[in-house]
Amino acid sequence: MKEQLAPARWYRIIPIVFITYSLAYLDRANFGFAVAGGMAEDLDITKSTSSLLGSLFFLGYFFFQIPGAHYASHKSAKKLIFISLILWGALAAATGMVSNVTSLIVIRFMLGVVESAVMPSMLILLSQWFTRKERSRANTFLILGNPVTVLWMSVLSGYLIDSMGWRWMFILQGAPGVVWAFIWWKMIDEKPGDADWLLTEEKEAVEQRLQAEQVGIKPVKNYAEAFKSRAVILLCFQYLLWSLGVYGFVMWLPSIIKAAPDMDIVRTGWLSSVPYILAIVGMLSASYFSDRSLNRKIFIWPFLLVASIAFFAAYLLGTSHFWISFMLLVVAGGALYTPYGPFFAVITEILPKNVVGGALGLINSIGALGSFIGSYLVGYLNGSTGGFEASYILMSVALLGATVLTIVVVKSPEQVRE
């Protein structure tokens, strides 16, 4: 029987990072519901401005990834996330108090700036707590906060907008982040050596295992050398194309569903939640089998290909068969999220510890650029064409490109042994 390495880590660390990332994800996804639920009319937002507002978050996210990741890696992920929680909770709530488009533009950009540190900091924190054979599952439980949040947020947002309006939706969904910041500070520890809830021998066992995993990784002098490596460059482009598809989907799914005949905001909320049920099942399954086999590649590219095919099929079907198109979007949504755990495990496994923070920041930053492009272009195409077919083609082609790059850059266990 295998010895379980410090099992208390899973019960203490994972629930805290899951809730933290869930709260952080709220302000990213609920904007689409506000637009579908009356914000555009109340603030006199044009379709082109709406596309810009939906994507501005990711522009702020893009610019500040690497500095945040560097600070988390070399100073303190715990402190950076604490500050971020307070700031983005306040900014998210302030979104519900805006009176004009200019202030909304500033808030959306600043939300991206503040939240840019959260994802790479969390991944770095987890890499200091969980070994290679555990990392895909640990990353998945973190990123699971994404679809789980959109799942309950979709339903709740529909009801909140229907009963209280879009302003109160933002306020009620932003304020908990500020409160949670202090729970985070009390409950989380930077690394096993800091945890008074672990036995001394457990701390030593975890840290020795993590140090041993770094022995086989070729040293890299600095960030410049890491950033110029073929693997990092290709992973950047892969994640840009993948993120284009993900956030084109997440930001505008409520508007796509709301455009159906006789569709109200409450039904839109319920239907928008369905793809994320499949996403949760897919993420948990892929991370489990990825860690069992240590074959990350096979749990990434096939799902991206499925999502690409589903979007292309939705394009071919057109708008005359809503329920069939909706089921294709459910499949696409589930497939888009499934590979996240294995993907981020790959990054921490191919680079040495001294540069992994910056590389994570760079890859996530380029991904944010893809998110900006995707959320803007999908909104723009929807508004300018009066339909969704052009958006489906855009997302399908981007995900096909991400599939090809995954096959090229991520090694299978057989290739690693060679």
Side-chain angles (χ1 to χ4, degrees), residues 256 310-326 328-329 387-390 392:
I256 291 171
F311 280 127
F312 187 69
Y315 158 75
L316 292 176
L317 196 64
T319 57
S320 55
H321 300 84
F322 172 77
W323 289 108
I324 300 175
S325 295
F326 174 70
L328 287 169
L329 292 177
F388 308 111
E389 290 83 356
Y392 294 153

Side-chain angles (χ1 to χ4, degrees), residues 112-127:
V113 171
V114 169
E115 201 189 310
S116 63
V118 174
M119 180 65 164
S121 298
M122 286 289 200
L123 291 167
I124 289 162
L125 186 78
L126 290 178
S127 73

Side-chain angles (χ1 to χ4, degrees), residues 251-265:
M251 292 297 296
W252 299 108
L253 180 64
S255 294
I256 291 171
I257 294 174
K258 184 71 165 49
D262 303 318
M263 188 66 65
D264 59 37
I265 193 66

Side-chain angles (χ1 to χ4, degrees), residues 351-368:
L351 292 169
K353 192 173 182 179
N354 70 307
V355 295
V356 74
L360 272 170
L362 178 66
I363 292 167
N364 212 35
S365 176
I366 300 301

